[in-house]
Amino acid sequence: MNIDTIIGFMAAFICAIAMTPQVVKIYRTKKTSDLSLGAFGTLATGLFLWLVYGLLIHSIPVITGNGIGFGITLYIIIMKIRHG
Amino acid sequence: MNIDTIIGFMAAFICAIAMTPQVVKIYRTKKTSDLSLGAFGTLATGLFLWLVYGLLIHSIPVITGNGIGFGITLYIIIMKIRHG
């Protein structure tokens, strides 16, 4: 695997798990009022399209990374709707 | 351009601009206390690596999309540090 591919995989992995500390923070504080529902809704849409793209081109890294990111973002949206 | 590529471009564009409503919300309210610095710091790291990847493989869409996303995320981090 060359350096380009390694950096690409690192980027995909880090972006996939990026919102994990936000989930932990919401879980601890139950506060979401400063979060923008529009921002996380748009992010979920984009990640869902990446997931569809991954399925179309049969790319396991694209499917996995964006599947995880989409799940995390969906959780944040549900918490935002619940806590306001 | 086939359907796969169109969906990929849509995904890249939507993810690049996803955090724009968050920037607008911060600009209006000056409140960032519910945002996780760790989450946005991780996101900025991932987007920066995507930017490096785009430069290495000479991909204009990857460079543009992630450059915009990285700039937006950096702004949110600066506001988070400023407003707490």
Side-chain angles (χ1 to χ4, degrees):
Chain A
M1 211 190 301
N2 63 12
I3 187 74
D4 303 7
T5 310
I6 292 167
I7 289 176
F9 273 117
M10 280 171 61
F13 177 73
I14 292 172
C15 279
I17 60 152
M19 283 296 143
T20 310
Q22 185 67 64
V23 168
V24 174
K25 190 178 173 89
I26 292 171
Y27 186 79
R28 283 211 316 258
T29 65
K30 316 286 181 208
K31 284 184 182 169
T32 56
S33 68
D34 299 341
L35 299 180
S36 162
L37 187 59
F40 285 89
T42 308
L43 184 62
T45 307
L47 292 172
F48 180 76
L49 286 176
W50 271 132
L51 187 59
V52 172
Y53 177 75
L55 291 166
L56 287 171
I57 67 162
H58 304 101
S59 163
I60 301 293
V62 175
I63 294 168
T64 312
N66 292 290
I68 293 168
F70 179 69
I72 292 172
T73 307
L74 215 59
Y75 176 84
I76 294 173
I77 291 171
I78 292 166
M79 289 303 108
K80 170 70 186 170
I81 291 167
R82 184 179 294 177
H83 299 300
Chain B
M1 212 190 300
N2 63 11
I3 187 74
D4 303 8
T5 310
I6 292 168
I7 289 176
F9 273 115
M10 280 173 60
F13 176 73
I14 293 172
C15 279
I17 59 151
M19 283 296 144
T20 310
Q22 186 65 63
V23 168
V24 173
K25 190 178 174 89
I26 293 171
Y27 186 79
R28 282 211 318 257
T29 64
K30 316 287 181 207
K31 285 184 182 168
T32 56
S33 69
D34 299 342
L35 300 180
S36 161
L37 186 59
F40 285 89
T42 308
L43 185 63
T45 307
L47 292 172
F48 180 75
L49 286 176
W50 271 132
L51 186 60
V52 172
Y53 177 76
L55 290 166
L56 286 171
I57 66 161
H58 305 100
S59 164
I60 300 293
V62 176
I63 294 167
T64 312
N66 292 291
I68 293 168
F70 179 68
I72 291 172
T73 308
L74 215 58
Y75 176 84
I76 294 173
I77 291 171
I78 293 166
M79 290 302 107
K80 171 67 185 171
I81 292 167
R82 184 178 293 176
H83 299 301

